[in-house]
């Protein structure tokens, strides 16, 4: 066998560069980009090798390890899990900064390759700079923190381990059921160790994402249940996108006239104007979808893990006889709540299920009910988003403006705070798959970083980021990254002077307003006027075009200027913190079982009433 003597760093990057993916359109490098902040632990060996492979995957310099790993996560989502971003850090705090981003990728079932420096395997220099010493176990380092938030974890202590570890890491990230982040720790000394690697290890490898096929017995059982249904509903999740099954989903719904409701991850599986799109489901969804879910006798969940913001903490389904069918590549998800599991790819399942159902269609009365609910939902959205003569618009009004002004294929990005609910409730998708609301891990700070990663993945369309003032203050440096690298975004900063959505929850549960809005922080220095951040000036200092809109009537012109800008543009607008979109839905929150406060007692009684509809896992 022919061999080649390489260092661990050389072999690692050479192997990654040889990996290709068969996408829907072509064969492309599997790893489309890398993000790096160099330091001791990843610059002497790994850094040079990344430079040597810029022609395969460029390395973008981040400003924060967490944000660059979030950018890599958004890059993978925009590519529907077919291409992967790499994030590398030095030892210690650089690595620890990426743990939060790993949690985002893990919760959202997205691929992300994390390469972090580690302490010396020989331990001869111990304790080294940034080493967290554990007296009872010297093998523990910061990198062990990733074990809780990754699907695959390894620490390379011998060069030969790469022969086993790298293929397994990639297989995990491309597995439709186990997809998630992979972590590889690289001790500083081991990165430079040499080994005679087989040359065949570096041969070009073309991957394809598997489509687990359904067992016919499961499809037949599902078809039997659906044929007996009078009021079925389809719930679409992100798995429909990753399976590239939106066309099949639409055909399935049309053939059998089954109303479709969408999860947050499944938003825009159907465009807003499709007659069977009956809105988003759950506490951040629509009354239309929730009304249909409450009546449904059969629920067909496709590609969703059925998170609590979808199920209303499992209170959305009020029909005690409801039967759940779950089509999912993941066994863990497919078996939830006594569902009939169809453990298979969405696209591979929908077409044969349609064939088994033949000419089955729902009753015309159920079709009429769905149509009425849909019309009511669209009327509510129109009313909430309508422009008025105001200098303090609501979230919904800003979303309505963006919805009208954005191009069909612009990508929308947000996360955490009040914006995910407001976007989910009020966005009318004109194209499929361009809606990224990170509400799996609900990570403040994802917005700007995710927008940068999405812009790298989608260079032909604008990425529109909606971010609250709280999230902006947590993480904003990738405005500069986007200017530095030439990846334009339009960032809309919605300023409500605090963490307004949590303030709303705080008061809705009977508690006093405290520590969320700036005015309610008891530790704020007493002064005649509350200091506010000038976000427009701040964004300008990061190199972006920026302006503050003082009136809703001025927003459209500002947006057009942002569209015409030659680099990232930021629009700042003050938001009315008292105006919220709402739906009639219940959601479990941790209330005390006893309280002497009357307002808390009232909230407890209200929540207990909603709890009567909660399914107990059966």
């Amino acid at each position: 066998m022919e061999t080649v003597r390489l260092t661990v760093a050389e072999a690692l990057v050479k192997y990654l560069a040889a990996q290709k993916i068969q996408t829907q359109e072509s064969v492309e490098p599997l790893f489309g980009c890398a993000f790096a902040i160099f330091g001791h632990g990843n610059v002497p060996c790994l850094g040079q090798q990344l430079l040597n492979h810029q022609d395969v995957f460029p390395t973008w310099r981040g400003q924060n390890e967490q944000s660059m790993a979030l950018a890599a996560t958004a890059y993978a989502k925009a590519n529907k899990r077919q291409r992967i971003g790499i994030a590398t850090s030095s030892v210690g705090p650089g690595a620890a900064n990426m743990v939060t981003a790993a949690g985002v990728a893990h919760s959202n079932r997205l691929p992300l390759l994390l390469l972090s420096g580690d302490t010396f395997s020989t331990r001869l220099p111990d304790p080294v700079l940034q080493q967290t010493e554990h007296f009872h176990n010297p093998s523990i380092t910061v990198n062990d923190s990733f074990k809780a938030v990754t699907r695959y974890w390894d620490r390379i202590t011998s060069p030969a381990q790469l022969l086993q570890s790298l293929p397994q890491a990639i297989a995990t990230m491309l597995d439709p059921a186990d997809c998630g982040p992979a972590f590889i720790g690289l001790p500083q000394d081991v990165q430079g160790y040499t080994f005679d690697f087989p040359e065949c290890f570096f041969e070009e490898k073309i991957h394809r994402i598997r489509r687990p096929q359904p067992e016919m017995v499961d499809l037949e059982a599902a078809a039997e249940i659906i044929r007996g249904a009078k009021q079925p509903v389809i719930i679409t999740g992100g798995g429909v996108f990753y399976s590239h099954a939106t066309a099949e989903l639409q055909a399935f719904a049309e053939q059998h006239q089954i109303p479709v409701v969408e999860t947050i991850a499944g938003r825009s599986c159907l465009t807003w104007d499709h007659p069977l799109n009956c809105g988003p489901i759950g506490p951040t969804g629509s009354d239309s979808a929730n009304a249909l879910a409450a009546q449904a006798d059969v629920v067909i969940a496709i590609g969703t893990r059925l998170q609590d913001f979808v199920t209303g903490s499992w209170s959305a389904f009020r029909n005690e006889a409801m039967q759940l069918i779950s089509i999912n590549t993941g066994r863990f998800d497919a078996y939830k709540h006594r569902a009939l599991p169809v453990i298979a790819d969405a696209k591979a399942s929908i077409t044969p299920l349609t064939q088994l159902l033949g000419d089955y269609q729902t009753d015309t009365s159920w079709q009429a009910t769905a149509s009425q609910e849909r019309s009511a939902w669209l009327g509510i959205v129109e009313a909430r988003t309508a422009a008025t003569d105001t200098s303090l618009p609501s979230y919904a009004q800003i979303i309505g403006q963006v919805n009208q002004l954005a191009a069909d294929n612009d990508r929308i990005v947000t996360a955490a705070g009040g914006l995910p609910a407001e976007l989910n409730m009020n966005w009318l998708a004109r194209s499929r798959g361009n809606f990224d609301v990170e509400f799996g891990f609900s990570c403040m700070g994802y917005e700007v970083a995710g927008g940068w990663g999405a812009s790298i993945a989608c260079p032909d369309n604008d990425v529109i980021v909606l971010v609250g003032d709280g999230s902006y203050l947590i993480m904003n440096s990738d405005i500069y990254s986007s200017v530095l690298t030439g990846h334009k975004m339009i960032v809309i900063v919605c300023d409500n002077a605090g963490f307004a959505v949590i303030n709303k929850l705080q008061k809705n549960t009977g508690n006093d307003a405290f520590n969320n809005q700036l005015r309610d922080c008891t530790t704020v220095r007493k002064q005649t006027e509350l200091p506010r951040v000038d976000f427009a000036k701040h964004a300008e200092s990061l190199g972006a075009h920026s302006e503050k809109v003082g009136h809703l009537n001025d927003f459209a012109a500002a947006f057009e200027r942002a569209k015409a800008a030659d680099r990232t543009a930021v629009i700042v607008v003050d938001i009315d913190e008292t105006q919220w979109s709402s739906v009639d839905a219940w959601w479990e929150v941790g209330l005390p079982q006893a309280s002497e406060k009357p307002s808390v007692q009232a909230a407890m009684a209200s929540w207990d009433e909603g709890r009567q509809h909660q399914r107990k896992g059966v």
Side-chain angles (χ1 to χ4, degrees), residues 287-604:
D287 288 334
S288 55
N290 292 332
L292 294 174
Q295 300 172 64
D297 55 1
V298 171
V299 172
I300 309 162
I302 307 177
T304 171
R305 64 191 182 113
L306 295 172
Q307 182 225 30
D308 66 337
F309 266 95
V310 171
T311 66
S313 301
W314 289 98
S315 70
F317 312 109
R318 305 291 175 87
N319 186 339
E320 291 188 1
M322 185 274 284
Q323 292 179 277
L324 176 62
I325 299 167
S326 184
I327 301 173
N328 204 296
T329 55
R331 173 198 54 78
F332 187 87
D333 294 320
Y335 269 90
K336 288 175 180 172
H337 278 255
R338 209 163 58 89
L340 169 70
V342 179
I343 305 173
D345 172 78
K347 190 170 188 174
S349 302
I350 292 172
T351 300
L353 183 57
T354 297
Q355 294 169 350
L356 286 171
L357 288 172
D359 59 359
Y360 164 82
Q361 283 195 342
T362 59
D363 293 342
T364 54
S365 60
W366 183 238
Q367 295 175 33
T369 297
S371 179
Q372 291 166 8
E373 292 291 350
R374 168 185 156 75
S375 295
W377 162 53
L378 293 176
I380 290 170
V381 171
E382 183 179 12
R384 282 195 299 229
T385 59
T388 58
D389 185 17
T390 178
S391 59
L392 204 61
S394 66
Y395 278 124
Q397 288 177 309
I398 294 299
I399 290 165
Q401 290 285 294
V402 175
N403 216 156
Q404 292 177 32
L405 299 166
D408 288 355
N409 289 319
D410 286 349
R411 188 167 182 83
I412 306 301
V413 177
T414 198
L419 279 164
E422 294 291 328
L423 264 168
N424 193 43
M425 291 179 184
N426 298 305
W427 188 255
L428 300 179
R430 299 197 301 272
S431 63
R432 293 171 173 170
N434 288 310
F435 187 83
D436 180 2
V437 173
E438 197 294 286
F439 221 38
F441 208 52
S442 186
C443 181
M444 295 179 73
Y446 174 87
E447 299 92 336
V448 172
W452 182 36
S455 182
I456 293 171
C458 308
D460 298 329
N461 302 103
D462 280 334
V463 173
I464 302 171
V465 175
L466 288 97
V467 59
D469 53 305
S471 276
Y472 183 99
L473 288 172
I474 284 176
M475 198 165 294
N476 53 63
S477 59
D478 285 324
I479 290 175
Y480 175 66
S481 299
S482 71
V483 174
L484 182 68
T485 62
H487 297 105
K488 180 188 172 184
M489 303 182 284
I490 297 173
V491 180
I492 301 168
V493 182
C494 298
D495 186 359
N496 56 28
F499 303 140
V501 73
I502 296 301
N503 181 64
K504 181 183 73 163
L505 177 62
Q506 191 172 49
K507 293 193 293 186
N508 285 351
T509 52
N511 293 285
D512 298 323
F514 169 56
N515 205 51
N516 287 311
Q517 294 306 95
L518 296 177
R519 64 176 179 272
D520 298 323
C521 299
T522 59
T523 53
V524 170
R525 181 171 64 88
K526 302 305 177 186
Q527 49 205 315
T528 57
E529 185 176 350
L530 192 68
R532 297 286 293 275
V533 175
D534 190 330
F535 292 104
K537 285 185 178 179
H538 183 271
E540 184 180 2
S541 75
L542 294 174
H545 289 288
S546 72
E547 60 181 292
K548 182 165 184 176
V549 172
H551 197 284
L552 185 60
N553 294 339
D554 301 324
F555 185 87
F559 190 86
E560 291 303 322
R561 286 190 289 272
K563 271 282 188 180
D566 62 353
R567 59 183 181 273
T568 290
V570 176
I571 303 171
V572 182
V573 57
D574 288 339
I575 296 293
D576 186 343
E577 64 171 278
T578 67
Q579 298 298 312
W580 298 96
S581 303
S582 62
V583 296
D584 183 16
W586 185 82
W587 179 55
E588 179 83 82
V589 294
L591 290 171
Q593 289 189 331
S595 174
E596 295 181 358
K597 193 175 177 65
S599 57
V600 174
Q601 292 172 356
M604 290 162 54

Side-chain angles (χ1 to χ4, degrees), residues 62-370:
Q63 319 308 319
N64 177 292
E65 290 89 354
Q66 178 180 326
S67 71
M68 69 184 192
L70 290 173
T73 301
Y75 173 86
K77 185 172 185 180
N79 279 293
K80 297 182 173 60
R81 301 200 308 196
Q82 292 184 113
R83 304 193 71 194
I84 302 172
I86 304 165
T88 177
S89 76
S90 60
V91 303
N97 282 347
M98 296 200 299
V99 172
T100 298
V104 171
H106 189 278
S107 297
N108 289 282
R109 319 290 172 85
L110 293 168
L112 167 66
L113 180 59
L114 299 158
L115 305 174
S116 284
D118 213 325
T119 55
F120 289 83
S121 64
T122 64
R123 301 184 190 159
L124 290 175
D126 284 10
V128 300
L129 181 65
Q130 299 180 336
Q131 181 175 354
T132 55
E133 293 183 274
H134 289 262
F135 308 145
H136 68 290
N137 187 342
S139 69
I140 294 176
T141 74
V142 164
N143 287 341
D144 288 88
S145 304
F146 286 95
K147 291 178 179 178
V149 286
T150 53
R151 294 286 187 185
Y152 183 87
W153 187 98
D154 198 5
R155 176 182 285 123
I156 304 302
T157 56
S158 168
Q161 286 176 242
L162 291 180
L163 297 170
Q164 302 296 329
S165 189
L166 292 180
Q168 290 294 343
I170 290 173
T172 299
M173 290 185 287
L174 292 180
D175 190 292
D178 290 341
C179 182
F183 173 85
I184 296 178
L186 299 168
Q188 297 177 68
D189 48 354
V190 175
Q191 283 184 56
Y193 288 178
T194 60
F195 182 73
D196 293 325
F197 290 92
E199 287 191 348
C200 61
F201 184 62
F202 304 105
E203 292 176 354
E204 181 182 282
K205 166 83 172 168
I206 299 177
H207 300 268
R208 64 174 182 82
I209 296 177
R210 294 182 300 107
R211 289 192 181 278
Q213 300 297 301
E215 293 194 23
M216 187 55 65
V217 64
D218 293 333
L219 289 179
E220 289 172 345
E224 183 177 355
I225 291 172
I226 296 169
R227 277 194 294 267
K230 301 297 184 185
Q231 299 174 161
V233 167
I234 298 168
I235 300 179
T236 66
V240 175
F241 289 123
Y242 303 139
S243 176
H244 296 266
T246 54
E248 288 76 10
L249 167 74
Q250 179 174 322
F252 178 77
E254 290 172 348
Q255 173 71 23
H256 309 297
Q257 286 298 296
I258 303 175
V260 176
V261 301
E262 296 177 328
T263 71
I264 295 176
R267 254 331 223 115
S268 73
C269 277
L270 295 180
T271 55
W272 76 271
D273 55 353
H274 193 283
L276 290 171
N277 184 343
C278 293
I281 186 174
T284 62
S286 61
D287 288 334
S288 55
N290 292 332
L292 294 174
Q295 300 172 64
D297 55 1
V298 171
V299 172
I300 309 162
I302 307 177
T304 171
R305 64 191 182 113
L306 295 172
Q307 182 225 30
D308 66 337
F309 266 95
V310 171
T311 66
S313 301
W314 289 98
S315 70
F317 312 109
R318 305 291 175 87
N319 186 339
E320 291 188 1
M322 185 274 284
Q323 292 179 277
L324 176 62
I325 299 167
S326 184
I327 301 173
N328 204 296
T329 55
R331 173 198 54 78
F332 187 87
D333 294 320
Y335 269 90
K336 288 175 180 172
H337 278 255
R338 209 163 58 89
L340 169 70
V342 179
I343 305 173
D345 172 78
K347 190 170 188 174
S349 302
I350 292 172
T351 300
L353 183 57
T354 297
Q355 294 169 350
L356 286 171
L357 288 172
D359 59 359
Y360 164 82
Q361 283 195 342
T362 59
D363 293 342
T364 54
S365 60
W366 183 238
Q367 295 175 33
T369 297

